[in-house]
Structures are given as structure tokens and as C-alpha cells.
Amino acid sequence: MQFNLSLSASQLFRSVRLFEHLSPEELSAVVRVAQPRRLAAGELLFAKSGPGDGMFIVERGELSVTTEGAHGEHLTLAYLGNGAFVGEMSLLDGAPRSASVEAVAASSGFWMSREAFSALRLDCPSAAMKVLWQLAQTLETRRRGALSRLRLQLAQVESEASLGHEARELLLPLRWV
Amino acid sequence: MLLSWNAIQTPLEGVTAAQLEAVFGAPEAITVEAGTTFTLRAEAPRTAFLVVSGALHGGGSELRLMPQLAVPRREIAGLGRLVLAEPLEQSFAVAETTVLVALDGLRLEAACTEGDAAAQAIFDAVVMLLSVDLRSSNEALQTLLQS
């Protein structure tokens, strides 16, 4: 049973972009720290603002990523299917969740906790660093995208006086390059 | 002119002078004269620059609206280049004589992949800065969109 589980996990992990640069040995080390997990339809994987304590890789089923709009309305940001992964940034920074994720249908996959990933950094540092490096590049791509959108938004503002005080306070500490 | 990491402040939380020395080598001062421009070059897309003294001032809508924004002393211009190549050139105005130190992202990546503990400490600190920055950018964007 354990052998079949590992085999299925290896096949799944090999198809995930996050692990594409890993050697077979490194991939095995990653698979060893992942725990199989099942979710019933409607079950919450994690809630917005909850602790950033790990990531989930979807083997089967469907999950939704949701948040609340400015007026408290329910917004669905994405649906995740086989081979998708979510919560991966928590491996980098452990920061609170930026959205909620729940199973739309009965789902299964693998949970990799932040704690287990820390153990991987000791057991197989090359595997952990390859994954972390990939995540850091994703993080930087998102940061550049956010800054571009901010610049576009600011280009439409005519003067500093028309920028709200709150917005000015938020803009000051940003790294623009 | 060679400087000493012991005498240089960085925004990299928890990173020691010895770790910086181990990964980037001895810091070499790059002096940019007042009244000139400094450019992050496309042909060196993995090089970032730590501002040791002085400041770099950019352009663009954010600086038109908030001229106090700059890359001040102890901050890193092109921080994200340490993890991801930035193919665009970006120029800065230099109002006062400014001293910079180059940080090589390729060197950092190579040392991390080899399992070097000093490089991993630097990597963790860089990622933390980028992560905080992404969250702040998203918050600022939401605030602007809602105002």
C-alpha cells in the first residue's frame, strides 16, 4: 500500500511545474515529506488570514480559491484541478493566507507542511533550494506585476493632494525597483 | 576601493558581514558622482546594487507624485534581480555623490544550490523583503482602486 502511494505521489509530483528541475533522488526526498490528504466536498483546506503552515498539491477533485470583495461579497478567484498546487508561498514566508481554499468536490492530494519542508532543507538541501528558488522567482514575477499595476493606477492620479493619506502611507516603504 | 562588510548596513535582516563576504566576496565601492545618472543595465540583469551612502532617484509616475521616494542608503536597487533576471534598463538620477556595492545574483544562486549556509541565509532575507513588498504593493493597489 505504501509503495503504491509513493508511486502515485512520484508520478503526480513529477508533473508539477514547481518540481520540474528536481533529479529523481531529489523528487523522492520531496515525496517523503508530503502527507496524503482527503477532503470532503465543502471542506475547508485553509481560511483567509489563517496561518501559512503549508501547501497542497491536488491529485484528484476540484478546489475553489475565494476571498471577500470590498463590500463583503464572496469572490471566486480560481478553480484548481488535478496537478495544481496552492498555498505554496507559505513555504517561503509563512505569512497569513491571502485567500480561502475549499473542496468543491471530494478531492485528494498531498499536504506539505512548512515544518516538513524545513526538515527537507536539512535532509536534502539541494531539493529544498531548487523548490525555494522557483518560488522566489514566482514571488518576484508577482511583485513586478503588482508594481506595474500600481504605476498604471498612479499615472491616472493628477497630484499628490488627490492621493489619499492612507495610499501615500502605503506607497512610501515600497521598493519600486 | 575595497570596503568592509562590517562597516556597511544592509536591509537583509539577520545576515552577518561574514556571510556577505563568503558569498559576494570583499565589497568594492562604485562611486557615482553627483549630477550624473546611474543605470541598472540590461546586459547584467542579475546584478543588484546596495546603496552604501547617498541615494538613487528614479522617474515614473510614482516619483512624479511622491518625489520623496528614492532608493536610500542601506537599501538595494534592483533587489528582485538577485532571484530573477530583469531584462529592462533603468536609470537613476544622482543628486549627491553616491557609493554603491554590486551584489551578484548568479553567485548567490550558485552558492545556494551548492548548499552553502551563508547563501541560504541571504536568500531567506531577500525573499522576506520581496514578500513584504508584494503584500504592501497589493494593499496599496487595493486602497487606490477603492479610493
Side-chain angles (χ1 to χ4, degrees):
Chain A
M1 183 61 192
Q2 185 59 43
F3 175 76
N4 287 339
L5 189 67
S6 298
L7 189 65
S8 114
S10 293
Q11 284 167 346
L12 173 66
F13 279 49
R14 194 170 292 123
S15 69
V16 174
R17 183 180 51 82
L18 191 56
F19 307 122
E20 67 187 3
H21 297 300
L22 301 186
S23 69
E25 293 75 22
E26 290 167 338
L27 196 69
S28 298
V30 172
V31 169
R32 278 197 298 275
V33 300
Q35 294 294 317
R37 182 161 173 192
R38 290 182 190 282
L39 297 165
E43 187 176 343
L44 194 67
L45 177 66
F46 53 75
K48 183 176 178 177
S49 305
D53 53 0
M55 70 173 284
F56 186 72
I57 300 152
V58 186
E59 185 179 30
R60 288 190 193 84
E62 188 175 39
L63 281 73
S64 65
V65 183
T66 61
T67 190
E68 284 178 0
H71 307 292
E73 70 274 26
H74 186 81
L75 298 174
T76 301
L77 304 175
Y79 288 100
L80 307 172
N82 303 3
F85 54 91
V86 66
E88 72 280 10
M89 286 301 157
S90 68
L91 299 185
L92 273 182
D93 58 16
R97 303 296 187 184
S98 57
S100 299
V101 176
E102 71 174 59
V104 177
S107 303
S108 63
F110 293 87
W111 176 256
M112 193 185 300
S113 71
R114 196 168 144 75
E115 204 175 29
F117 195 79
S118 295
L120 181 71
R121 287 186 79 161
L122 296 174
D123 294 345
C124 187
S126 64
M129 278 320 294
K130 283 181 184 175
V131 173
L132 288 174
W133 207 271
Q134 189 93 1
L135 288 174
Q137 292 185 335
T138 305
L139 170 68
E140 174 57 5
T141 303
R142 288 180 188 169
R143 189 186 75 102
R144 287 178 191 179
L147 285 176
S148 293
R149 289 194 295 278
L150 255 182
R151 284 195 172 97
L152 279 176
Q153 205 59 37
L154 284 171
Q156 294 171 11
V157 177
E158 286 176 6
S159 69
E160 187 174 356
S162 62
L163 265 181
H165 173 73
E166 194 186 348
R168 263 182 284 156
E169 290 292 303
L170 286 166
L171 292 173
L172 264 174
L174 289 182
R175 290 178 182 78
W176 291 91
V177 289
Chain B
M1 181 181 66
L2 282 183
L3 304 172
S4 160
W5 284 115
N6 285 310
I8 295 175
Q9 288 184 302
T10 84
L12 303 170
E13 206 67 44
V15 174
T16 66
Q19 288 169 326
L20 290 163
E21 177 94 23
V23 175
F24 296 119
E28 191 163 351
I30 301 165
T31 302
V32 190
E33 299 300 331
T36 62
T37 59
F38 176 76
T39 304
L40 291 177
R41 298 204 171 277
E43 59 265 31
R46 293 296 302 276
T47 307
F49 292 88
L50 172 68
V51 180
V52 177
S53 67
L56 299 174
H57 295 264
S61 49
E62 70 276 8
L63 289 156
R64 174 179 59 79
L65 287 169
M66 299 180 71
Q68 68 271 42
L69 292 175
V71 186
R73 187 178 68 83
R74 96 178 266 280
E75 281 293 343
I76 299 170
L79 176 72
R81 289 170 156 231
L82 292 175
V83 296
L84 184 66
E86 172 58 85
L88 298 174
E89 289 207 345
Q90 186 154 8
S91 291
F92 299 88
V94 180
E96 56 186 309
T97 298
T98 294
V99 177
L100 308 169
V101 166
L103 304 175
D104 186 343
L106 289 174
R107 232 161 132 167
L108 178 64
E109 183 170 4
C112 276
T113 309
E114 286 165 9
D116 181 88
Q120 289 180 17
I122 295 170
F123 172 85
D124 286 344
V126 168
V127 159
M128 205 45 77
L129 292 175
L130 294 176
S131 176
V132 167
D133 213 40
L134 173 61
R135 284 170 198 276
S136 305
S137 304
N138 284 334
E139 269 182 51
L141 192 60
Q142 278 190 357
T143 303
L144 275 177
L145 288 171
Q146 285 165 18
S147 61

